[in-house]
Amino acid sequence: MNSRKTRLSVILLAAAGLALTACTNPGDSGSSAAPTGTAGGDGQVVKSQAPGAGEGCTLEKNGAQKLDLKTAVVGFSQSEPDTAAFRAAETASIKSAAEQLGVKQLLVTNANNELPKQIADIQDLLNQGAQFLIVAPVNSDGLDPALAAAKAKGVPVLTIDRKVTNAACTDYVAFLGSDFYEQGKRAADAMNKATGGTGKVAILLGSSGNNVTDNRNAGFKDQLKQYPGLQIVAEQTGNFAREKGQAVAEQLLQANSEITAIYAHNDEMGLGAVTAVTATGKKPGEDVKIVSIDGTRNAVQAIVDGQINAVIESNPRFGPLAFETAQKFYNGEAIPENVIIEDDEYNRDNAAQNLANAF
């Protein structure tokens, strides 16, 4: 994260450009490769994208009509309550970017982690006249009725932070988000460093039915094959929630006294694990090493306090990148199916000086 200062300078310039021109360039997602490390706003940096000839979603392929976002009604469907720091930061970023761009009206709903409600929310957004949709899916599967309703009305859908299994460009324009498999691999590397290569590991899984949980787990397990001294002894879902993560961690620790490390699929569960370990009389971060994913301020502070060992970043500030991508789409540029952002890492060496970057 030593590149943060340089990156923030680029981000500030990008944000200023967004306010003035309604369209900065976070990395060309057309037929040519996007520059590696180009700021997408609010700290997001797009990895190099290089779709081949004829690839990518265009306005023509999608069948949508050209739209001026400044005169449009845009809908944002959030998946989970904003009581979670990741979701609060994500929603705030979408609202801020819409305001900076001068979007005529932004409609916001929250599915409260319920798929049927998200389907109803999206249909309601369409009934209220939404002409473009940004969706943070509850699950990777199951949004078919909502996506079909949007398609029937000629309303393009941009998905963020969780990828759906539907057909890109046909059912949705593109996915903006992290490489969750890579996050899992990096978490395994961090766990190996924290434990010195030896330990009994418990995994707090995210909610089922989405690519975030599946890929963060697969990446971690695959990378752990390089570290034979680390053994997974238990895994159970904590549903990405702090209270649930704490309860599950308590159960696992009681049933498996040999546990010396916990990998949590997000910071909320990681913080729950801190409380659970403390309740056993052991010291989190010392007796039981903890590695999680997100980059919330509370989790990074826990690194500073010695209770968490490392956090792999998953940047939720999608607003500028989402609207920049939408603008490119309406300008006729080809948008890759997956617009992948870069994520940093917080650890004992850099957490204190980079605490201000957490969300």
Side-chain angles (χ1 to χ4, degrees), residues 145-323:
L147 296 177
K151 183 178 179 180
K153 290 197 172 186
V155 176
V157 177
L158 191 66
T159 64
I160 62 173
D161 84 52
R162 287 180 187 170
K163 185 174 173 61
V164 294
T165 56
N166 301 78
C169 200
T170 300
D171 298 319
Y172 68 101
V173 174
F175 160 73
L176 311 185
S178 298
D179 184 335
F180 305 117
Y181 181 84
E182 181 67 19
Q183 288 177 340
K185 290 178 62 178
R186 293 172 62 197
D189 291 337
M191 184 65 77
N192 178 65
K193 181 178 179 181
T195 60
T198 303
K200 305 292 187 181
V201 184
I203 302 177
L204 298 179
L205 302 165
S207 56
S208 59
N210 67 79
N211 68 315
V212 180
T213 296
D214 294 343
N215 291 342
R216 284 179 180 173
N217 215 38
F220 184 81
K221 287 183 174 180
D222 287 348
Q223 189 70 359
L224 221 62
K225 294 174 184 177
Q226 297 188 23
Y227 309 121
L230 292 174
Q231 178 186 359
I232 297 172
V233 296
E235 57 182 297
Q236 188 173 327
T237 182
N239 207 36
F240 285 131
R242 189 180 305 194
E243 290 185 1
K244 178 68 172 177
Q246 178 183 337
V248 170
E250 288 174 349
Q251 294 169 8
L252 296 180
L253 288 165
Q254 289 171 3
N256 302 273
S257 59
E258 75 273 27
I259 290 173
T260 57
I262 295 175
Y263 164 45
H265 281 192
N266 78 338
D267 286 350
E268 289 296 309
M269 294 189 297
L271 290 165
V274 168
T275 303
V277 172
T278 302
T280 67
K282 295 181 179 180
K283 294 183 178 180
E286 294 184 24
D287 300 323
V288 179
K289 311 297 185 183
I290 299 174
V291 173
S292 62
I293 299 177
D294 269 350
T296 64
R297 184 173 294 270
N298 286 342
V300 178
Q301 181 64 55
I303 298 177
V304 177
D305 296 338
Q307 297 179 316
I308 288 180
N309 300 86
V311 171
I312 307 303
E313 182 190 47
S314 193
N315 196 323
R317 302 175 177 106
F318 284 97
L321 180 58
F323 282 103

Side-chain angles (χ1 to χ4, degrees), residues 33-53:
T36 301
T38 304
D42 279 347
Q44 285 189 336
V45 175
V46 179
K47 288 187 177 181
S48 180
Q49 315 277 350

